[in-house]
Amino acid sequence: MEKEFSRVHSATDIIVSIVLVAGGCTLVLLPTSTSVNVLGFFMIITGLVLALILRTGYKDKETGERFRKTEKFFPAHCKDSISRAMVSAPEKIDFSEENKGNGLRLDTFFNSKTGHVYCRLYEYIPYRYQPCTEYITIDMKQAEKLTK
């Protein structure tokens, strides 16, 4: 299964930007000292910059469905066991090895509302991660540990 995900604004990104801009405007409009006005302008600029660059959501280019993403890192010697577990029983992935190396990266895209979960394993080849597996569709109940 060939999937493509693009980064998009999530609801949290938009809310954070709006709160910063609104709070900054409030501080600027209130009759306060210059230092508070400077803080207000700083908040407005920060909110606008975040609105332009902050993108923590993902969208399936084919279907338009939105996802969240988690990344887990494992040492390189776990490649075979993780690959086999992803296909047969993802809940049996050995998470005791997590964050003990960065030779492998396991990306999980999930949408809790629809229950769709896609996983892919990447191997670190100097200077970049290369895919080791195709995207694998997993049931939401089986992927509970992967989405945390």
Side-chain angles (χ1 to χ4, degrees), residues 9 12 17 35 48 59 74 96 104 128 131 135 138 143-144:
H9 295 288
T12 306
S17 297
S35 60
L48 292 174
K59 182 169 118 177
F74 297 93
S96 65
L104 298 173
R128 67 189 320 173
Y135 279 105
I138 299 174
E144 191 174 323

Side-chain angles (χ1 to χ4, degrees), residues 20 22 34 50 69 76 89 91 135 143:
L20 282 171
T34 305
L50 286 178
K69 178 183 176 185
E91 67 274 4
Y135 279 105

Side-chain angles (χ1 to χ4, degrees), residues 54-125:
L54 189 62
R55 294 170 189 247
T56 60
Y58 291 85
K59 182 169 118 177
D60 184 352
K61 288 186 176 181
E62 184 180 320
T63 63
E65 185 177 358
R66 291 181 176 259
F67 292 90
R68 291 176 45 200
K69 178 183 176 185
T70 61
E71 294 178 345
K72 300 197 181 299
F73 296 92
F74 297 93
H77 67 82
C78 298
K79 179 180 177 182
D80 294 330
S81 64
I82 292 174
S83 298
R84 278 186 264 118
M86 283 174 56
V87 174
S88 60
E91 67 274 4
K92 294 185 179 177
I93 292 175
D94 183 17
F95 288 102
S96 65
E97 294 290 325
E98 184 182 1
N99 293 327
K100 291 186 178 174
N102 62 353
L104 298 173
R105 183 181 83 196
L106 180 60
D107 288 357
T108 306
F109 294 92
F110 64 97
N111 184 329
S112 10
K113 291 180 184 174
T114 62
H116 293 136
V117 179
Y118 299 100
C119 290
R120 187 177 214 178
L121 188 63
Y122 291 85
E123 182 177 24
Y124 184 76
I125 309 293

